[in-house]
Amino acid sequence: MVKIIGKENSLLNQYISELRDVNIQKDSLRFRKNLERVGEIFAYEISKKLDFEEKEIITSLGTAHVKTLKEFPVLAVILRAGLPFHQGVLNFFDKSENAFISAYRKYYKDGNFKIHIKYVSKPEIENRPLIIIDPMLASGMTMGHTYRELVNDQKPKHTHMISVLASMEGVNYVKRNFSGSEVTLWVGAIDDELTAQAYIVPGLGDAGDLAFGSKI
Amino acid sequence: MVKIIGKENSLLNQYISELRDVNIQKDSLRFRKNLERVGEIFAYEISKKLDFEEKEIITSLGTAHVKTLKEFPVLAVILRAGLPFHQGVLNFFDKSENAFISAYRKYYKDGNFKIHIKYVSKPEIENRPLIIIDPMLASGMTMGHTYRELVNDQKPKHTHMISVLASMEGVNYVKRNFSGSEVTLWVGAIDDELTAQAYIVPGLGDAGDLAFGSKI
Amino acid sequence: MVKIIGKENSLLNQYISELRDVNIQKDSLRFRKNLERVGEIFAYEISKKLDFEEKEIITSLGTAHVKTLKEFPVLAVILRAGLPFHQGVLNFFDKSENAFISAYRKYYKDGNFKIHIKYVSKPEIENRPLIIIDPMLASGMTMGHTYRELVNDQKPKHTHMISVLASMEGVNYVKRNFSGSEVTLWVGAIDDELTAQAYIVPGLGDAGDLAFGSKI
Amino acid sequence: MVKIIGKENSLLNQYISELRDVNIQKDSLRFRKNLERVGEIFAYEISKKLDFEEKEIITSLGTAHVKTLKEFPVLAVILRAGLPFHQGVLNFFDKSENAFISAYRKYYKDGNFKIHIKYVSKPEIENRPLIIIDPMLASGMTMGHTYRELVNDQKPKHTHMISVLASMEGVNYVKRNFSGSEVTLWVGAIDDELTAQAYIVPGLGDAGDLAFGSKI
């Protein structure tokens, strides 16, 4: 199941347009802030699909019947580009437990690459909602490998994969590989092109470099 | 027109339940943070009703056709209780211009009161969307007077009145006094009772005191 | 007593230089963020002068002897320009109670003006540390009147007046009118000139307009 | 060279006491917020030791001679516990480039362990100030290995190692292994004891678990 949050115009599209803009990107504080706000919006939209339960709360003037989250989702962030996006999701799901994963592309002589998982730190995931956070869904393979690494010995209640921008190829990869009953993919917008180097076009460039500086 | 955002369960209801809870309220940092997050959610939901326009943006890899806000709404905050709620709305509408209004209830011997406006600072409002921000909609009279004060010589494009909690009486006051084509009222939840002292029950108490300490 | 925090180079001077810069000011989100960060730095520096007491705290592994603030200062903010600066101070003194004051200049035909206090909301101040927050100390009269309004029936333990920028004239006004045993003035930098219209030169312009948009 | 920022009472000690407190720790939002604020304070104190240069800035009313940072330090964060602390440092050094490192302890049958570096992402460090960020300095070995990994082919201008809490043993490790001309160690407080499992006592427990939930 694929949800394109940006289909309906909202502040999300304002932030995405700033994230894409080569001139506005120069301000890395605003770039990170925009990723954070996008994360907050995704968290809010996803929360509409989570389970709530009724509780009685004592106010200073009486008793209120309120609805609270039955359980907070586990947040899994793909390093390093995912960190500001994750920060936004965590700002809203402030009681969530968190997983951290680093993945890298190992290139072969023929130009192909394989995804390797290098670092994993994760909490109990069994039967809990899971949100996997990566700002860019290019080929979809990093997201796919991260998912498999996280769930290889545990079964989440439902998994929400989230990306600010996706390529059509990445969306199709997720659709082909994961059933809608297990996985929902949430994206801000879908771009048509994916280059041979796995860059989304027009995209926004390298989210990690823009947030944190280029790597050597 | 009245929109009850909390009708559909989401993180909004989680935050409202924390705002109401006498125990969680003791942490004024979290109380203000919850008002801020509620403000962010209201800003996002309202933004879905605003006008967007298509723009071409240059990314590092191509040209993107994006949708951006045609104009940012003017944000009018009722002091002092509205400040953390306003902070959240401004976090999301970061390019907005802002109005500040203080109103107070002048009580008569018979227990009745009238709303007086004491302090007003406002930008150009003519033909721009306007959001008036007050966390509690009790009798509705403060909101009503603030609106009239703001628009007495200027006509906004459309006005969004926003409150975290409202009494049924306050909601009816707004409906009775303002046409849906000019004003939309957005609330998180509606409580049944309004005391003679104009407190919403079960409500959450005095939002200003809880955010900033009691006045002498 | 006057403390010029910017005398020693630190990030404070970086933020002040951005606050002054006509180009960087165009980004009102960054302008407000810079005022907030400056407020955090002032709060931290002032906290070094406050009273602490030793407490025993239970950690998960033992007992720690720690030093905690004996009492949080009351924060008094002058509207509207003071709000983002106050936000920063409150971010750091998160348990503080807060006062809000609006003052305005009433001009006479001869070009002179008098400060009028229009709106006051204040907590108990007696025998507590007090911080009065105004980003610009121009003539010093607004700060002076606000102080008198706040303390006319209550005696704070000690008052800290804080401004990001001050004119030499404003600094002298405070020195002349308040004794160092009662009041400490903290500023980021002192500019030489004050225009007839009470603008600090080179200054940074109108902090309220830059943070919140121009008033009509 | 070792600097104990908490020696002089300030808000830092307030936050450290909250970080240690088993009851306050239950609120992971406040725990992370406290690490962030501590990071902001460390950034500010370190900035006093960095190089500044004079610039001319055009204000709306004239020309100001200001002091700005000559260069922003590179921020290196040790995963995952360092992230909220790093967030605070980055809030203040918003133009900094960032390195991310994960290290883990590999235990041997005899109970001894060795530090392995698993994930490294780093920018150009040559001749730039470097800040290495780890909330807890236990044995000092993780900090030491991270430093060596970062500088093995590049020489920073000066390195600032920062920890909220340190054991005496960790402090001695750093002093023994690194010269004061190359490295300054900044800590909030020093605790006496280090357990065989390398926990600081009384300490605050596991900063990573408290911020992000326990790992499986």
Side-chain angles (χ1 to χ4, degrees):
Chain A
M1 201 168 20
V2 181
K3 307 241 181 197
I4 308 167
I5 307 184
K7 223 180 207 170
E8 181 181 20
N9 278 326
S10 76
L11 275 167
L12 176 70
N13 287 348
Q14 175 71 31
Y15 303 146
I16 289 180
S17 78
E18 295 187 12
L19 284 167
R20 287 182 186 274
D21 191 314
V22 277
N23 288 309
I24 299 175
Q25 289 177 343
K26 284 173 198 157
D27 181 354
S28 65
L29 182 145
R30 181 175 278 271
F31 187 81
R32 292 189 303 265
K33 177 78 179 167
N34 278 330
L35 283 175
E36 238 184 279
R37 295 191 284 200
V38 169
E40 290 167 349
I41 287 172
F42 273 68
Y44 169 65
E45 287 291 356
I46 290 171
S47 76
K48 295 179 181 174
K49 305 296 175 193
L50 299 181
D51 297 330
F52 283 75
E53 59 190 3
E54 188 159 317
K55 273 200 189 158
E56 277 197 358
I57 295 274
I58 308 300
T59 78
S60 58
L61 297 162
T63 302
H65 295 264
V66 298
K67 299 288 175 52
T68 57
L69 262 181
K70 211 170 150 188
E71 70 213 320
F72 276 71
V74 171
L75 313 181
V77 53
I78 299 178
L79 298 173
R80 65 185 167 142
L83 285 169
F85 192 23
H86 167 257
Q87 182 66 44
V89 180
L90 181 58
N91 286 347
F92 266 35
F93 286 119
D94 64 79
K95 295 174 173 60
S96 279
E97 295 199 307
N98 302 271
F100 298 88
I101 302 103
S102 89
Y104 71 106
R105 294 175 185 159
K106 189 171 176 184
Y107 283 91
Y108 297 99
K109 282 181 196 153
D110 59 6
N112 285 326
F113 62 87
K114 242 184 99 175
I115 305 292
H116 284 256
I117 300 291
K118 216 168 173 181
Y119 169 76
V120 182
S121 150
K122 61 177 178 180
E124 183 70 50
I125 290 171
E126 188 68 35
N127 204 28
R128 300 164 80 177
L130 172 66
I131 301 179
I132 309 181
I133 297 162
D134 195 5
M136 309 295 279
L137 187 80
S139 68
M141 287 170 64
T142 301
M143 187 64 96
H145 275 66
T146 300
Y147 175 71
R148 286 184 203 103
E149 176 75 27
L150 287 170
V151 308
N152 69 340
D153 52 353
Q154 303 186 75
K155 203 178 144 28
K157 188 181 269 187
H158 188 81
T159 298
H160 303 270
M161 299 177 172
I162 70 174
S163 291
V164 184
L165 292 186
S167 75
M168 189 50 83
E169 192 177 322
V171 172
N172 288 333
Y173 177 92
V174 171
K175 276 193 197 163
R176 226 167 34 236
N177 285 276
F178 306 105
S179 91
S181 64
E182 286 180 341
V183 169
T184 304
L185 173 66
W186 302 76
V187 300
I190 300 175
D191 285 5
D192 285 337
E193 204 189 327
L194 189 70
T195 67
Q197 291 74 36
Y199 272 104
I200 298 171
V201 177
L204 56 74
D206 187 306
D209 283 4
L210 290 162
F212 297 120
S214 19
K215 291 189 273 191
I216 56 165
Chain B
M1 201 169 20
V2 181
K3 307 240 180 198
I4 308 167
I5 308 184
K7 223 179 206 170
E8 182 182 19
N9 278 326
S10 76
L11 275 166
L12 176 70
N13 287 348
Q14 174 72 31
Y15 303 146
I16 290 180
S17 78
E18 295 187 12
L19 284 168
R20 288 182 186 274
D21 191 313
V22 278
N23 287 310
I24 299 175
Q25 288 177 344
K26 284 172 198 158
D27 180 353
S28 65
L29 181 146
R30 182 176 278 270
F31 187 81
R32 293 189 302 265
K33 177 79 179 167
N34 278 329
L35 283 174
E36 238 184 278
R37 295 191 285 199
V38 169
E40 290 168 348
I41 288 172
F42 273 68
Y44 170 64
E45 287 291 358
I46 290 171
S47 77
K48 295 179 182 174
K49 306 296 177 194
L50 299 180
D51 297 329
F52 283 75
E53 58 190 4
E54 188 160 318
K55 273 199 191 159
E56 277 197 358
I57 295 275
I58 308 301
T59 78
S60 58
L61 297 163
T63 302
H65 296 264
V66 298
K67 300 287 176 52
T68 58
L69 262 181
K70 210 168 151 188
E71 70 214 320
F72 276 71
V74 172
L75 313 180
V77 53
I78 299 178
L79 298 173
R80 64 185 167 141
L83 286 169
F85 192 23
H86 167 257
Q87 182 66 45
V89 180
L90 182 58
N91 287 347
F92 266 35
F93 286 120
D94 64 80
K95 295 174 175 59
S96 278
E97 295 199 306
N98 302 270
F100 299 88
I101 301 104
S102 89
Y104 72 106
R105 295 175 185 158
K106 188 170 177 185
Y107 283 91
Y108 297 99
K109 283 183 195 151
D110 59 5
N112 285 326
F113 62 86
K114 241 184 98 175
I115 305 292
H116 284 255
I117 300 290
K118 218 170 171 179
Y119 169 77
V120 182
S121 150
K122 61 177 177 179
E124 183 69 51
I125 291 171
E126 188 68 34
N127 203 29
R128 299 164 80 178
L130 172 66
I131 301 179
I132 309 180
I133 298 163
D134 195 5
M136 308 294 280
L137 187 80
S139 69
M141 287 170 63
T142 301
M143 187 64 96
H145 275 66
T146 300
Y147 174 72
R148 286 184 203 103
E149 176 75 27
L150 287 170
V151 308
N152 70 341
D153 52 352
Q154 303 186 73
K155 205 178 144 29
K157 189 181 269 187
H158 188 81
T159 299
H160 303 271
M161 298 177 172
I162 70 174
S163 291
V164 184
L165 292 186
S167 76
M168 189 50 83
E169 193 177 320
V171 172
N172 288 333
Y173 177 92
V174 171
K175 276 194 198 163
R176 227 168 31 237
N177 285 276
F178 305 105
S179 91
S181 64
E182 285 179 342
V183 169
T184 304
L185 174 65
W186 303 76
V187 300
I190 299 176
D191 285 5
D192 286 336
E193 204 188 328
L194 188 70
T195 68
Q197 292 74 37
Y199 272 105
I200 298 171
V201 177
L204 56 74
D206 187 305
D209 283 5
L210 290 162
F212 296 119
S214 19
K215 291 189 275 192
I216 57 164
Chain C
M1 202 170 17
V2 181
K3 306 240 181 197
I4 308 168
I5 308 184
K7 224 180 209 171
E8 182 182 19
N9 278 327
S10 76
L11 275 167
L12 176 70
N13 287 348
Q14 174 72 31
Y15 304 147
I16 290 180
S17 79
E18 295 188 13
L19 285 168
R20 288 181 186 274
D21 191 313
V22 277
N23 288 309
I24 298 175
Q25 287 178 343
K26 284 174 197 155
D27 180 354
S28 65
L29 181 146
R30 181 175 278 271
F31 187 82
R32 292 190 302 267
K33 176 79 179 167
N34 278 329
L35 283 175
E36 239 184 277
R37 295 190 284 200
V38 170
E40 290 167 350
I41 288 171
F42 274 68
Y44 169 64
E45 287 290 358
I46 291 170
S47 77
K48 295 179 181 173
K49 304 298 176 192
L50 300 181
D51 296 330
F52 283 74
E53 58 191 3
E54 187 159 319
K55 273 197 188 159
E56 277 198 357
I57 295 273
I58 308 301
T59 78
S60 58
L61 297 162
T63 302
H65 296 264
V66 298
K67 299 287 175 53
T68 58
L69 263 181
K70 210 170 151 188
E71 70 213 321
F72 277 70
V74 171
L75 313 181
V77 52
I78 299 178
L79 299 173
R80 61 183 171 144
L83 286 168
F85 192 24
H86 167 257
Q87 182 66 45
V89 181
L90 181 57
N91 286 347
F92 267 34
F93 286 119
D94 64 80
K95 294 174 175 60
S96 279
E97 296 199 305
N98 301 269
F100 298 89
I101 301 103
S102 89
Y104 71 106
R105 294 176 185 158
K106 190 171 175 183
Y107 282 91
Y108 297 101
K109 281 182 196 151
D110 60 5
N112 285 326
F113 61 86
K114 242 184 96 176
I115 305 292
H116 285 255
I117 300 291
K118 216 168 174 179
Y119 168 78
V120 182
S121 150
K122 61 176 177 180
E124 183 70 50
I125 290 169
E126 188 67 35
N127 204 27
R128 299 164 81 178
L130 172 65
I131 301 179
I132 309 181
I133 298 162
D134 195 3
M136 307 295 279
L137 188 80
S139 68
M141 288 169 63
T142 301
M143 187 63 97
H145 276 66
T146 300
Y147 174 72
R148 287 185 202 102
E149 176 75 28
L150 288 170
V151 309
N152 70 341
D153 53 351
Q154 303 185 75
K155 205 178 143 31
K157 188 181 270 187
H158 189 80
T159 299
H160 304 270
M161 299 178 174
I162 69 174
S163 292
V164 183
L165 292 186
S167 75
M168 190 50 83
E169 192 177 321
V171 171
N172 288 333
Y173 178 91
V174 170
K175 277 193 199 164
R176 232 174 19 243
N177 285 276
F178 307 104
S179 90
S181 65
E182 286 179 340
V183 169
T184 305
L185 173 66
W186 303 75
V187 301
I190 299 175
D191 285 5
D192 286 336
E193 203 188 329
L194 188 70
T195 67
Q197 291 73 38
Y199 272 104
I200 298 171
V201 178
L204 55 76
D206 187 307
D209 283 4
L210 290 162
F212 296 121
S214 19
K215 292 190 273 190
I216 56 166
Chain D
M1 203 172 16
V2 181
K3 306 240 181 199
I4 308 168
I5 307 184
K7 223 179 208 171
E8 182 182 20
N9 278 327
S10 76
L11 275 166
L12 176 70
N13 287 349
Q14 175 71 30
Y15 304 147
I16 289 180
S17 78
E18 296 188 13
L19 285 168
R20 288 182 186 274
D21 191 313
V22 277
N23 288 310
I24 298 175
Q25 288 178 342
K26 284 173 197 156
D27 181 353
S28 65
L29 181 146
R30 182 175 278 270
F31 187 81
R32 292 189 302 265
K33 177 78 179 167
N34 278 330
L35 283 175
E36 238 183 278
R37 294 190 284 200
V38 169
E40 290 167 349
I41 288 171
F42 274 67
Y44 170 64
E45 287 291 358
I46 290 171
S47 77
K48 295 179 181 173
K49 305 296 175 195
L50 300 181
D51 296 330
F52 283 75
E53 58 190 3
E54 187 159 319
K55 273 198 189 160
E56 277 198 358
I57 295 273
I58 308 300
T59 78
S60 58
L61 297 163
T63 302
H65 296 263
V66 298
K67 299 286 175 54
T68 58
L69 263 180
K70 210 169 151 188
E71 70 213 321
F72 277 71
V74 171
L75 313 180
V77 52
I78 299 178
L79 298 174
R80 65 187 166 141
L83 286 169
F85 192 23
H86 167 257
Q87 182 66 45
V89 180
L90 181 58
N91 287 346
F92 266 35
F93 286 119
D94 64 80
K95 294 174 175 60
S96 278
E97 296 199 304
N98 302 269
F100 298 88
I101 302 103
S102 88
Y104 72 106
R105 293 175 186 159
K106 190 171 176 184
Y107 283 91
Y108 298 99
K109 282 183 196 151
D110 59 4
N112 286 326
F113 61 86
K114 241 183 99 175
I115 306 291
H116 284 255
I117 301 289
K118 216 169 174 179
Y119 168 78
V120 182
S121 149
K122 61 177 177 179
E124 183 71 49
I125 290 170
E126 188 68 35
N127 204 28
R128 299 164 80 178
L130 172 65
I131 301 179
I132 309 180
I133 298 163
D134 195 4
M136 309 294 280
L137 188 80
S139 69
M141 287 169 63
T142 300
M143 187 64 96
H145 276 66
T146 300
Y147 174 72
R148 287 183 203 104
E149 176 74 27
L150 287 170
V151 307
N152 70 341
D153 52 352
Q154 302 186 74
K155 204 178 145 29
K157 189 181 270 189
H158 188 81
T159 299
H160 304 271
M161 300 178 172
I162 69 174
S163 292
V164 184
L165 292 185
S167 75
M168 189 50 82
E169 192 177 320
V171 172
N172 288 333
Y173 178 92
V174 171
K175 276 195 200 163
R176 228 171 25 241
N177 285 275
F178 306 105
S179 90
S181 65
E182 286 179 341
V183 170
T184 305
L185 174 66
W186 303 76
V187 301
I190 299 175
D191 285 6
D192 285 337
E193 204 188 328
L194 187 71
T195 67
Q197 292 73 37
Y199 272 105
I200 298 171
V201 177
L204 55 75
D206 186 307
D209 283 5
L210 291 162
F212 296 121
S214 20
K215 291 189 273 189
I216 57 167

